[in-house]
Amino acid sequence: MDEPKAGERIRVEPLGRSAWRLCDRTIDDAGQALLAYVEFTADGTYEAVWVATRSGTSRHPTLDDVVRVATEGLASPAESRRTKPIPIAHRSPFVPR
């Protein structure tokens, strides 16, 4: 199996004959750069155990597909459209005379 072209941000590191580690090249700390562990399974799919970008596991038809999903997970999130709450005008408290 050939190592896929991982792009500029994702690094695919072989761990054995049918196992890889996906890391983010932009992070220097190896522990924080780890994105997922990937294994080629007996049924012909690639199982990814996500560490950073997602949680849980997922199955993919190709290793390139796993890299694509990891790259999408690293994409910057959409800009929030939330605003500060609109203040509600209040009357001053009633003070008896």
Side-chain angles (χ1 to χ4, degrees), residues 11 13 21-24 27-35 37:
R11 180 176 61 241
E13 300 175 351
R21 175 174 47 205
L22 301 184
C23 296
D24 185 348
I27 300 175
D28 293 330
D29 183 11
Q32 292 180 350
L34 180 63
L35 301 173
Y37 290 105

Side-chain angles (χ1 to χ4, degrees), residues 7-68:
E8 297 179 7
R9 184 139 184 208
I10 305 292
R11 180 176 61 241
V12 179
E13 300 175 351
L15 295 175
R17 265 183 115 171
S18 60
W20 299 266
R21 175 174 47 205
L22 301 184
C23 296
D24 185 348
R25 291 179 193 261
T26 62
I27 300 175
D28 293 330
D29 183 11
Q32 292 180 350
L34 180 63
L35 301 173
Y37 290 105
V38 182
E39 183 177 354
F40 185 70
T41 62
D43 63 357
T45 61
Y46 292 83
E47 182 176 33
V49 178
W50 299 99
V51 178
T53 58
R54 303 171 62 187
S55 61
T57 62
S58 60
R59 291 186 178 258
H60 305 272
T62 65
L63 190 53
D64 287 328
D65 190 44
V66 179
V67 172
R68 181 188 55 76

